[in-house]
């Protein structure tokens, strides 16, 4: 939906707290009235936009996972994809972490954030399950723990990337390699 895409761009640039429906309208091809027609408020629009984006994001690693024929190919493919998304979608990921934090305070975000977080956990677990299959070794972590590891290193790298640290992307790749390699030792 084009409205959600326009909202996502504006929100990613300005952040949740500094964005109004009028800001979204001003930075898009849509009028303030059109936004109000389709969405009851900013929260409704934000939730729609983030659900749409994360639905695509949650399948981002599926091709890497499916195509890998060895543990090494999977590890390298996932590490490369993580670094790519850090570089290419940094502002949208920043918005995700902003909204996830807002869900601690804003009840209206909670159900969507919990649902999106579960999709992301499932995405990471598909990687872990495929690694287990390719290596013939069981993953000694729960889906939640594996997701927590990847989410933690990604969020840390995102902050470093946004503050201009040139090595953030390469270090994220190395951390991903380290986690995945350790899982199958």
């Amino acid at each position: 939906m084009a409205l959600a895409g326009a909202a996502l761009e504006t929100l990613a640039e300005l952040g949740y707290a500094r964005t109004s429906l009028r800001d979204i309208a001003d930075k898009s091809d849509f009028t303030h009235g059109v936004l109000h027609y389709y969405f009851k408020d900013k929260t409704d629009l934000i939730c729609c936009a983030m659900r749409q984006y994360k639905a695509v994001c949650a399948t981002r690693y599926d091709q890497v996972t499916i195509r890998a024929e060895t543990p090494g190919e999977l590890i390298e493919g996932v590490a490369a994809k993580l670094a790519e998304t850090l570089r290419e979608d940094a502002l949208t990921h920043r918005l995700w972490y902003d909204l996830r934090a807002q869900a601690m305070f804003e009840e209206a975000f909670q159900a969507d954030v919990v649902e999106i977080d579960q999709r992301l956990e499932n995405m990471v677990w598909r990687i872990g399950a495929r690694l287990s299959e390719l290596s013939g070794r069981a993953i000694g972590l729960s889906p939640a723990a594996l997701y927590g590891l990847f989410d933690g290193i990604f969020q840390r790298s995102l902050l470093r990337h946004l503050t201009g640290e040139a090595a953030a992307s390469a270090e994220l790749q190395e951390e991903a390699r380290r986690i995945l390699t350790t899982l199958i030792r």
Side-chain angles (χ1 to χ4, degrees), residues 78-104:
V78 168
K81 190 59 94 170
L82 273 169
E84 176 186 300
T85 190
L86 177 74
R87 292 186 307 269
E88 293 180 5
D89 293 333
L91 295 181
T92 308
H93 290 296
R94 176 179 70 175
L95 174 62
W96 162 243
Y97 287 111
D98 183 16
L99 294 178
R100 195 164 77 175
Q102 287 296 322
M104 300 284 191

Side-chain angles (χ1 to χ4, degrees), residues 40-57:
K40 64 181 178 181
D41 57 21
K42 178 175 92 168
T43 301
D44 187 33
L45 176 55
I46 290 169
C47 289
C48 175
M50 192 50 64
R51 277 191 311 269
Q52 181 177 315
Y53 173 73
K54 287 298 185 178
V56 171
C57 183

Side-chain angles (χ1 to χ4, degrees), residues 112-179:
D112 287 316
V113 165
V114 167
E115 178 187 330
I116 291 167
D117 226 24
Q118 185 61 57
R119 281 186 187 177
L120 296 174
E121 181 181 311
N122 293 344
M123 172 192 75
V124 171
W125 189 248
R126 287 191 300 274
I127 294 166
R130 180 69 171 146
L131 184 60
S132 176
E133 177 186 324
L134 290 172
S135 68
R137 300 212 154 172
I139 300 299
L141 295 174
S142 69
L146 185 58
Y147 172 56
L149 284 171
F150 274 95
D151 185 59
I153 65 167
F154 190 86
Q155 185 177 16
R156 180 179 179 275
S157 297
L158 178 63
L159 178 59
R160 294 178 62 234
H161 174 76
L162 291 170
T163 59
E165 288 190 39
S169 176
E171 289 174 10
L172 173 61
Q173 278 186 273
E174 186 54 38
E175 287 295 332
R177 285 185 195 107
R178 189 174 293 119
I179 288 170

